[in-house]
Amino acid sequence: DAKTTQPTSMDCAEGRAANLPCNHSTISGNEYVYWYRQIHSQGPQYIIHGLKNNETNEMASLIITEDRKSSTLILPHATLRDTAVYYCIVRVAWSNYQLIWGAGTKLIIKP
Amino acid sequence: DTAVSQTPKYLVTQMGNDKSIKCEQNLGHDTMYWYKQDSKKFLKIMFSYNNKELIINETVPNRFSPKSPDKAHLNLHINSLELGDSAVYFCASSQRDSWNGGEQFFGPGTRLTVL
């Protein structure tokens, strides 16, 4: 799996959009970008994933650059409950290949 | 209903003991996983298992063994516990052939402390 790099930490004001960047410059053509988050002391939670098109669901939006070397996770209206560590992972979907986790970005939402 | 559950939530034991952590999923998924999260918060895959194959991370000591009595359960047995085994262990499941590419659902974790 390709490696990803993310900022160690970020702050965002409550109610504003939180934009979390991720670099994956060595991503392969069949690798998807996945985002998970882990709220303190809980199990990781799936957020969204995509291949090359932008994706949106009830939790977030995922913007993938045209060259697929980077992506941004957008939480449109961050709340205090969005404070968590956010992990960007790339992997081949529908494979038995395990997720390989980096250090993630610690996102702190401030009132 | 809890999708992926683990028991116990906390486990404190002495070095050298043998212990088990149980995991159950009620999602009908065909693949289950065990992860270890150490004090530095890195999540590392230990095993992935479905009814066709077991994939083991080669860095996992053979003191750790997964046991699957049925499709909904994947238990983790640990023999001769060592201090370095102290960590939070997460169970997860996914549907390998699902349209969404196999997103994984995680349990709440088991905090293991070896004294």
Side-chain angles (χ1 to χ4, degrees):
Chain A
D1 277 350
K3 291 185 178 179
T4 61
T5 54
Q6 301 176 251
T8 303
S9 64
M10 294 180 63
D11 293 345
C12 180
E14 188 179 17
R16 305 296 292 268
N19 296 285
L20 292 92
C22 179
N23 287 323
H24 31 78
S25 58
T26 60
I27 192 170
S28 301
N30 61 350
E31 287 184 313
Y32 284 66
V33 180
Y34 286 77
W35 283 84
Y36 282 75
R37 72 179 182 184
Q38 187 174 23
I39 297 171
H40 181 62
S41 298
Q42 297 182 20
Q45 176 190 24
Y46 166 83
I47 301 173
I48 198 167
H49 77 284
L51 182 62
K52 53 184 178 181
N53 297 322
N54 297 338
E55 302 288 344
T56 295
N57 63 20
E58 65 277 5
M59 289 182 68
S61 295
L62 174 61
I63 308 298
I64 302 174
T65 58
E66 191 169 345
D67 63 8
R68 302 209 324 121
K69 293 185 176 181
S70 65
S71 60
T72 301
L73 177 75
I74 301 173
L75 307 178
H77 304 287
T79 71
L80 297 178
R81 287 177 294 181
D82 291 323
T83 292
V85 178
Y86 287 76
Y87 297 95
C88 169
I89 304 156
V90 295
R91 60 161 279 190
V92 177
W94 298 287
S95 74
N96 210 17
Y97 207 98
Q98 301 90 346
L99 298 173
I100 298 178
W101 301 69
T105 296
K106 173 69 174 178
L107 176 65
I108 298 173
I109 306 301
K110 298 187 172 182
Chain B
D1 284 344
T2 303
V4 182
S5 60
Q6 296 178 226
T7 55
K9 187 169 176 63
Y10 299 96
L11 181 55
V12 181
T13 188
Q14 299 287 330
M15 268 198 315
N17 284 350
D18 303 337
K19 290 293 179 184
S20 294
I21 306 172
K22 295 185 177 180
C23 177
E24 176 182 3
Q25 54 95 5
N26 62 7
L27 299 166
H29 288 165
D30 62 3
T31 305
M32 297 183 72
Y33 311 81
W34 277 105
Y35 287 85
K36 177 182 180 182
Q37 187 171 41
D38 59 23
S39 58
K40 296 181 179 179
K41 303 299 184 184
F42 281 95
L43 268 161
K44 295 182 181 177
I45 184 73
M46 301 177 71
F47 306 100
S48 68
Y49 180 80
N50 63 28
N51 60 0
K52 296 175 184 176
E53 62 182 332
L54 169 66
I55 296 181
I56 302 173
N57 184 329
E58 63 274 9
T59 67
V60 175
N62 57 14
R63 299 182 293 105
F64 291 79
S65 58
K67 298 273 195 293
S68 182
D70 56 58
K71 187 178 164 182
H73 296 84
L74 184 66
N75 303 326
L76 182 65
H77 295 264
I78 316 169
N79 295 324
S80 302
L81 277 156
E82 301 178 357
L83 293 176
D85 298 333
S86 295
V88 181
Y89 291 84
F90 288 99
C91 176
S93 72
S94 70
Q95 183 61 30
R96 181 175 172 179
D97 296 324
S98 68
W99 66 271
N100 63 7
E103 89 182 63
Q104 294 185 14
F105 293 79
F106 284 78
T110 295
R111 181 173 294 276
L112 171 65
T113 303
V114 182
L115 303 175

